[in-house]
Amino acid sequence: MNKLQNKVAVITGANSGIGLATAKLFLENGAKVVLAGRRESALKEATTDLEGDFITVVADVSKEEDNTQLIKKTVDKYGNIDILFLNAGIAPVTPTTDITAEHYNEVFDINVKGPILATKEALPFMNDKGSILFTNSIVHQKGFDGLAVYSASKGALRAYARVLTSEVKSRGIRVNSIAPGPIDTPIYGKMGLPQEVVEEMGKGFATQVPLGRFGTSEEIANTALFLASDEASFINGVELEVDGGLSQI
């Protein structure tokens, strides 16, 4: 269980869900992990039982200065970066007729601007043959009502990842994206919808998945571990759907 021995990994959105599950798995596999999140209290609570070599950094990825500080604190502590997992994201539900500039800016600032700025800040400190991972989504492949801006943000992130794959090829840095389907994470509770609506939405999603269920954060973490490790040394530029087959039907 040492697939990432002494590798330095930065994970955004690490105080819950996919980010936290991945941080735990990376630590179990010998990595030194920087967990970033927007709320200090949530980070503190999430890391109470974590074991291994890690630090936490309070950072709002939508803010340029926070991305700069995240990378600076990482480098100050660990020197360089081997794995950059840009996982933070939001998915508020808003029908097209109700979209506002505020809604658009919030989603794109966190889901697109944040990863792009974090990558820019991290690249000078990334070791050659490192790994950059993005948490994307299958939503930009299929149309889900109420998620127009979220879908557009994930489509933009996928396009950016393609360009980045080419731009860092001379350094042997691999760039890959994970596109989850319905995953049982706290993001569904942050959509701004009543709990009963969220539950009904969840049931609807689950019935569409060929495997008949939601995925788990741990299943996405296992995917991230594989893509970040040397076992995926010739996998580059892909978007890997981890969705129980939903995107294939």
Side-chain angles (χ1 to χ4, degrees):
M1 295 289 288
N2 291 300
K3 295 179 180 179
L4 303 179
Q5 190 65 37
N6 293 322
K7 301 287 188 183
V8 176
V10 178
I11 303 174
T12 64
N15 56 276
S16 66
I18 291 169
L20 181 57
T22 303
K24 291 178 179 177
L25 190 59
F26 280 16
L27 286 166
E28 289 170 5
N29 279 268
K32 303 170 183 178
V33 179
V34 178
L35 296 90
R38 287 193 288 179
R39 294 181 296 117
E40 185 174 8
S41 59
L43 276 173
K44 193 170 185 178
E45 181 179 352
T47 57
T48 300
D49 298 323
L50 279 190
E51 296 181 358
D53 190 348
F54 71 90
I55 62 171
T56 62
V57 177
V58 177
D60 181 342
V61 298
S62 69
K63 298 178 180 178
E64 183 174 10
E65 60 272 21
D66 282 22
N67 285 292
T68 300
Q69 282 301 307
L70 170 60
I71 301 306
K72 182 180 186 303
K73 289 180 179 179
T74 299
V75 174
D76 286 347
K77 175 66 175 179
Y78 294 119
N80 287 302
I81 301 168
D82 298 288
I83 301 160
L84 184 65
F85 184 23
L86 300 167
N87 166 71
I90 59 171
V93 176
T94 302
T96 296
T97 52
D98 296 339
I99 292 171
T100 63
E102 181 182 8
H103 170 76
Y104 171 87
N105 289 333
E106 181 185 27
V107 173
F108 266 75
D109 281 355
I110 292 174
N111 293 2
V112 184
K113 185 176 77 174
I116 290 175
L117 292 180
T119 299
K120 173 197 169 186
E121 295 295 333
L123 277 175
F125 305 102
M126 285 202 70
N127 289 322
D128 291 352
K129 298 185 179 179
S131 175
I132 299 175
L133 298 175
F134 298 101
T135 295
N136 213 320
S137 174
I138 65 163
V139 296
H140 73 91
Q141 302 176 26
K142 299 173 75 75
F144 293 100
D145 291 0
L147 293 175
V149 176
Y150 177 61
S151 297
S153 74
K154 292 304 184 178
L157 190 61
R158 177 64 183 127
Y160 169 72
R162 287 193 182 96
V163 175
L164 182 63
T165 302
S166 179
E167 290 187 342
V168 298
K169 64 180 183 290
S170 64
R171 297 180 55 190
I173 296 174
R174 295 182 297 111
V175 179
N176 292 298
S177 302
I178 302 170
I183 305 296
D184 187 11
T185 75
I187 195 170
Y188 289 100
K190 301 175 182 177
M191 286 180 159
L193 299 172
Q195 182 61 32
E196 60 272 18
V197 174
V198 173
E199 290 176 1
E200 285 303 312
M201 180 185 296
K203 291 176 184 176
F205 279 152
T207 60
Q208 296 177 53
V209 178
L211 290 184
R213 64 173 177 86
F214 269 44
T216 67
S217 295
E218 289 72 22
E219 287 172 313
I220 305 302
N222 284 328
T223 305
L225 174 62
F226 169 66
L227 289 174
S229 74
D230 290 341
E231 292 182 353
S233 57
F234 202 54
I235 298 177
N236 189 27
V238 308
E239 179 174 80
L240 180 58
E241 293 89 0
V242 187
D243 63 356
L246 178 58
S247 62
Q248 306 306 313
I249 59 174

